Every structure is written in C-alpha cells, then in structure tokens.
Amino acid sequence: MRVMVVADRFGPGDGRSARRLAADVGQGWAQGASHDDVEQFALSDGSSGFIDALSPLADETAPVVIDGPLRGSTLNSEPVPAQIVLAGSTAYIEAAHVVGRHLVAPGMDGAQSLQASSAGVGELLVAARATGARRIVVGVGIDVACHDGGKGLLEALGAGPDLSNLAQVCRDWSGISLVLATASQMPLTGFHGASAALVTEQGVSPEVSQQMEGAVGAYTETVDAALGGSRSPDLLTGVARRREREPGAGVGGGIGYALQTLGAQTTSGAALLLRDLNVESRLMGALVVLVTQ
C-alpha cells in the first residue's frame, strides 16, 4: 500500500514541527506495516512553520537578519533571524519570522503589542527580490503581532512615511509575481475585520479596537489617495472594489492588505503547499493519513 502522511503542527503544547510530527507518524506506520510505501509531508496554512514545511522543496536557503517588530516604539526590539527558501525562480518567506507574536514579550498586553511594525516583512521582500526571484510567496497567519495595516511594509519598500511614493512602489513591484499564502479570509475593516478580531484574539478592549478601526480606516483613505483615488470595478457588479474589504486583507493586521495593494494573488497556504510540493498530484491511489489538531 502507498501511504501519504500529511501533518500540521499540534500547537505550542506539542513542541514538534509539522515536519517532525509527519516523520514520527510515518516511522510508526512503517514499523507496523513494513511492506507499505510511506511518504511524509508537512503542512502549514502560512503561519509559523510555513518555511520549515517547504524545506524539501529548497534548492537553497538564504539566512537574513531583520530588525524586530518593535522598532521605533517605546519598547525594546532586537534583530531577529529569518530564512528565505529558494526553489527555481520562486522565493518563499514567512511573516512570523520577523513579526510573530513570539517576538513580543509574554507579559505585554494586547494594546502594547499593537506598537509592532510590519516593516520587517517589507525588508524580507526586498531580500527575497535581491536573490533574483521572479515569484515571491509570503506565508501570513494569525500568529502575527502587528496591526499597522501593512504601512510599515509599504514604507520599507520606499513608499515614504506619508505614502506619497506608493504609486511608484506599485509600479516597481509590478514585474514580480507576489502570492499571499494564508488560511484567513478576514477583511481589514468592518464588523468582521482585523480590528474587531483583536478583542477575541489578543484580549484588546472594545474601546482600543474601535480606535484601531478608525486609525486603519484613515490609513486606507491615504492609500487610495496615494494611488489616485482609483478603485478597480468588480467584474460581476460593476461596483468599485474596496481593497480593505477584500478576503485576506486583514490577515497579519493588514499585511495582507499591503500585499494585495502591490498586486498579490491571495490563495490558501495549505493548498499552495500541496501544489508546490507536488503532493496534490500524488494523492490519487494513496491512503492519506492527515494529522492535525
């Protein structure tokens, strides 16, 4: 029998990476059924572990050091290591490497953690492009500390503090195929948006959440103005599309919105891994063992 073990992380309590978990389950299966052909693969929705799951695909990895997420705040920040996985003309990066919640002090409350900047993701994008990659995949999950609407990311690419150079940045990146890999369909604004989710996900008070919603709303107006106030129409309704309401725009506190503003395609992180690791085409005729929490 051909057996394919596909595993996601169990979470912080387990301690094993998805790749380690898949290997352990595969080894256990092989010991009990030595005649079976067992393969193991890790899965990730774009959150922590995304880069580790892509290791079998790597032609090479490029280590980089990026300033931490609390740069420019009243809180301490230190440089953090990150990795770029290179496979052909594609570079893969993970937002949690540079803006993950694990980089914010455990005792810090939700409101304080909102001082984190997404600039590190912009610097990772620049480093990935410098490798010569023509396609850059960015894994973004819910385990991100920042909530700046992606403004830090855009500034790191050269948009300027007032985003006055944003249109030029969008032109500069138009030749790069950007992909936002995530499991979240969360918009940036609105009752089901990223600011509203802060109450349940990070323990932020409703009052702070409302303040953040107002600040992010004003920021999206600045983005629209910097891009000439233009909004592309929906192909079905003809109504102007609002980038901040697009599915996935709210992931990473607006990292999704910034990437989509640059023209990124949004896709399921898990589905992308299955395709890029060539797992999807090999499922036919196999017994699939899915290990997840």
Side-chain angles (χ1 to χ4, degrees):
M1 182 181 296
R2 189 162 61 89
V3 179
M4 300 186 70
V5 178
V6 183
D8 198 354
R9 292 193 318 157
F10 266 8
D14 182 82
R16 286 176 291 180
S17 69
R19 201 150 54 96
R20 181 68 262 168
L21 183 59
D24 289 347
V25 173
Q27 183 180 17
W29 187 288
Q31 288 174 350
S34 58
H35 295 293
D36 287 351
D37 179 15
V38 183
E39 297 179 84
Q40 305 96 30
F41 297 93
L43 200 61
S44 170
D45 62 2
S47 304
S48 294
F50 183 68
I51 288 298
D52 183 64
L54 285 158
S55 296
L57 187 67
D59 293 329
E60 65 175 297
T61 58
V64 293
V65 177
I66 304 291
D67 283 343
L70 299 178
R71 66 182 76 196
S73 72
T74 58
L75 307 167
N76 293 326
S77 181
E78 296 180 357
V80 295
Q83 276 195 333
I84 303 168
V85 165
L86 303 171
S89 61
T90 299
Y92 300 86
I93 59 177
E94 180 184 310
H97 276 180
V98 292
V99 291
R101 290 185 191 170
H102 65 286
L103 299 173
V104 175
M108 190 179 299
D109 64 35
Q112 285 178 313
S113 72
L114 298 180
Q115 296 184 43
S117 169
S118 62
V121 182
E123 293 174 11
L124 259 182
L125 280 169
V126 172
R129 184 174 183 174
T131 66
R134 303 306 301 166
R135 174 177 178 251
I136 302 177
V137 178
V138 188
V140 188
I142 62 172
D143 53 349
V144 169
C146 63
H147 192 84
D148 64 354
K151 186 173 186 288
L153 185 161
L154 297 175
E155 288 183 17
L157 297 184
D162 59 355
L163 303 182
S164 58
N165 200 39
L166 179 57
Q168 182 59 50
V169 168
C170 290
R171 286 191 290 270
D172 290 344
W173 283 81
S174 61
I176 301 293
S177 176
L178 291 174
V179 180
L180 166 63
T182 184
S184 175
Q185 296 292 300
M186 183 190 299
L188 180 58
T189 59
F191 290 114
H192 302 288
S195 296
L198 290 173
V199 179
T200 55
E201 290 184 3
Q202 296 195 44
V204 171
S205 69
E207 293 76 18
V208 171
S209 172
Q210 291 173 7
Q211 292 172 8
M212 296 303 299
E213 176 77 0
V216 169
Y219 155 71
T220 61
E221 292 179 5
T222 301
V223 169
D224 286 340
L227 296 178
S230 61
R231 294 180 183 266
S232 58
D234 184 273
L235 294 179
L236 294 178
T237 65
V239 176
R241 297 172 63 180
R242 300 179 63 177
R243 279 181 290 267
E244 64 273 19
R245 297 294 178 90
E246 289 293 306
V251 68
I255 290 174
Y257 172 77
L259 291 170
Q260 290 172 348
T261 297
L262 295 171
Q265 170 197 1
T266 303
T267 189
S268 159
L272 179 137
L273 274 178
L274 291 175
R275 289 193 303 268
D276 285 17
L277 288 170
N278 198 29
V279 177
E280 195 174 51
S281 63
R282 293 151 69 183
L283 295 177
M284 185 69 70
L287 172 65
V288 179
V289 179
L290 182 63
V291 185
T292 187
Q293 189 173 28

